[in-house]
Amino acid sequence: MPAPERPLRLLLGAFGDPGHAFPLIALGGALAARGHEVALQTWTRWEGDVRAAGMRFEPAPEYHVFPTRERPLKPYEAVLRATGQTRPLVAGFAPDAVVADILTLAPALAAELEGVPVATVIPHLDPRTERGWPPFSLGARLPRTAVGRGLWGGLSRVTDAGLERGRRELNETRRRLGLGPLDRVHGGISRELTLVATFPALEYPRVVALPATHTVGPLLWEPPADDVALPPGSEPLVLVAPSTSQDPSHRLLRATLSGLADAPVRVLAVWNGRPLGQPIDVPRNARLVEWVSYARVMPSCDVVVCHGGHGTLARALASGCAVVIVPAAGDMNESAARIDWAGVGVRVPRRLCAPGPVGLAVERVLASPRMRERAGELAAWWRSHDPPARASELIEDLAAQPRRFVWCTN
């Protein structure tokens, strides 16, 4: 694909959760390194990192998007307000394209109002399912038989109703902004360009290809971190990498340390700077640290135990580590199902998050050469495909298309 004739002006947008902001920082840094003028609108906590990656920082509206008893929010109220605040940025910056995280609708809607091409980044597994698949984030594997597909298809009425409700709510927001309605669900995902930032090996095969969708691979970035000393010895190294947003009582951390206390392994466990509450017993074969660089530590590890947040999972697989996932919530259940299906790890149901089951899961991974070989194959794919570069090429191609015009009432 030929390079653009001139540097592009590109606006990226992601709300501030690490799982959504970090992939956009990775992508924006790659675009800036290719000579483009890039602005990233996100939460102020990442301002220094955005600037360090060579981008212009723009503060994103920081609304609580879930209702509270003190002030219930109407559907998409935060999106409506954020779009109103973001549209002047789009108009003033005049980007050649806007690239928005799947949950960050304001930049995409503001771009549509200004007639600017829009790309969506899905920073995890693609949530769009086909008939006969289990509902996304339920944690069920792809059925192997027609009977199984029929059963899931019959249950799709429940999920279809939720998707239809989301379509109506988004269309009401679009109406209030002066945009026309959409006749499809998943209306926040662009039909011009969608970048799925996961491993193709974790995506279920589709009967019908999704329009303008490219699975480019994980877009990985992490904040700076100091080096840490690994536990001494030559035994296999297990990294315990819990979620930064789930499991406030550190149930997984405690279960893993206890379950591996007498195992012939070394354990590096991370508590991510979150209050520990009750003291944690650290066995002799383990070290407990506040924070580590996953990019530097995971290549030395044999197994990663985590909740299944996509960023941690992707970094583990990119480092050639098989994984044990004990999902805590949301799409972590889907991650657990996919690694089981792809043969790169073992899942442990949340209800079984205890020393015995977690210890047995790690033992199973270490006893499976094929599982670890398969993880190594995904790492080799990631190294050879350069996901940020591929995503950048696709965005450059989108920006080169003729500008479109949108009729609106505002």
Side-chain angles (χ1 to χ4, degrees), residues 31-405:
L31 288 164
R34 295 166 75 92
H36 302 307
E37 182 181 355
V38 183
L40 174 55
Q41 186 192 44
T42 189
W43 290 357
T44 54
R45 65 185 293 193
W46 307 121
E47 178 176 358
D49 298 301
V50 170
R51 296 188 187 280
M55 292 177 279
R56 165 178 161 181
F57 172 79
E58 292 291 342
E62 299 186 24
Y63 294 124
H64 295 288
V65 297
F66 297 105
T68 63
R69 286 187 301 175
E70 292 77 15
R71 190 184 183 282
L73 288 177
K74 296 179 180 179
Y76 282 86
E77 182 180 346
V79 175
L80 189 67
R81 292 186 175 190
T83 303
Q85 289 186 297
T86 302
R87 187 175 182 181
L89 169 62
V90 175
F93 188 58
D96 295 288
V98 167
V99 184
D101 166 73
I102 185 176
L103 295 185
T104 312
L105 297 183
L109 290 170
E112 187 175 351
L113 287 164
E114 293 295 323
V116 177
V118 176
T120 300
V121 172
I122 301 177
H124 45 61
L125 300 162
D126 196 322
R128 295 170 289 182
T129 61
E130 289 192 347
R131 187 78 174 177
W133 291 14
F136 187 80
S137 82
L138 184 65
R141 277 185 51 169
L142 188 69
R144 292 188 291 265
T145 66
V147 173
R149 290 189 292 272
L151 289 172
W152 284 120
L155 292 172
S156 64
R157 293 188 303 273
V158 177
T159 52
D160 288 350
L163 291 170
E164 176 59 25
R165 183 171 60 251
R167 185 186 74 87
R168 291 195 304 269
E169 292 174 354
L170 177 56
N171 277 342
E172 172 59 18
T173 301
R174 292 176 62 87
R175 184 192 67 79
R176 294 170 68 181
L177 289 169
L179 293 169
L182 299 175
D183 60 2
R184 60 184 174 89
V185 298
H186 295 295
I189 298 177
S190 172
R191 285 289 181 94
E192 298 176 274
L193 175 63
T194 294
L195 307 170
V196 185
T198 192
F199 287 98
L202 298 182
E203 285 288 316
Y204 290 150
R206 295 180 181 272
V207 175
V208 180
L210 294 168
T213 296
H214 302 264
T215 303
V216 296
L219 302 171
L220 299 178
W221 178 87
E222 65 178 18
D226 295 332
D227 288 329
V228 299
L230 303 180
S234 58
E235 297 84 2
L237 180 60
V238 179
L239 175 67
V240 190
S243 167
T244 57
S245 61
Q246 303 292 332
D247 194 9
S249 63
H250 294 281
R251 182 181 174 193
L252 176 60
L253 187 65
R254 298 173 192 276
T256 308
L257 286 171
S258 178
L260 298 178
D262 298 318
V265 298
R266 296 172 294 148
V267 181
L268 180 64
V270 185
W271 55 281
N272 290 331
R274 304 171 70 201
L276 291 173
Q278 296 296 320
I280 293 180
D281 292 328
V282 181
R284 288 182 296 177
N285 64 342
R287 287 200 66 209
L288 179 61
V289 297
E290 179 178 359
W291 193 265
V292 298
S293 163
Y294 289 165
R296 296 199 297 273
V297 167
M298 283 186 179
S300 300
C301 298
D302 297 276
V303 183
V304 173
V305 180
C306 62
H307 285 106
H310 187 268
T312 302
L313 168 62
R315 178 66 76 179
L317 294 175
S319 301
C321 300
V323 293
V324 171
I325 291 183
V326 187
D331 62 358
M332 295 175 178
N333 295 303
E334 193 67 32
S335 295
R338 300 296 180 96
I339 60 105
D340 182 49
W341 172 79
V344 292
V346 174
R347 57 176 171 171
V348 178
R350 183 180 180 182
R351 67 181 183 279
L352 298 181
C353 183
V358 175
L360 287 172
V362 172
E363 181 180 330
R364 180 182 166 194
V365 171
L366 290 173
S368 173
R370 178 56 191 149
M371 201 175 293
R372 296 160 72 188
E373 288 170 6
R374 180 67 178 137
E377 291 169 3
L378 268 64
W381 182 94
W382 184 77
R383 289 192 300 269
S384 66
H385 281 76
D386 195 351
R390 177 57 179 154
S392 297
E393 291 172 353
L394 291 165
I395 292 167
E396 290 168 351
D397 187 51
L398 172 67
Q401 303 302 314
R403 292 287 289 266
R404 59 191 170 86
F405 296 91

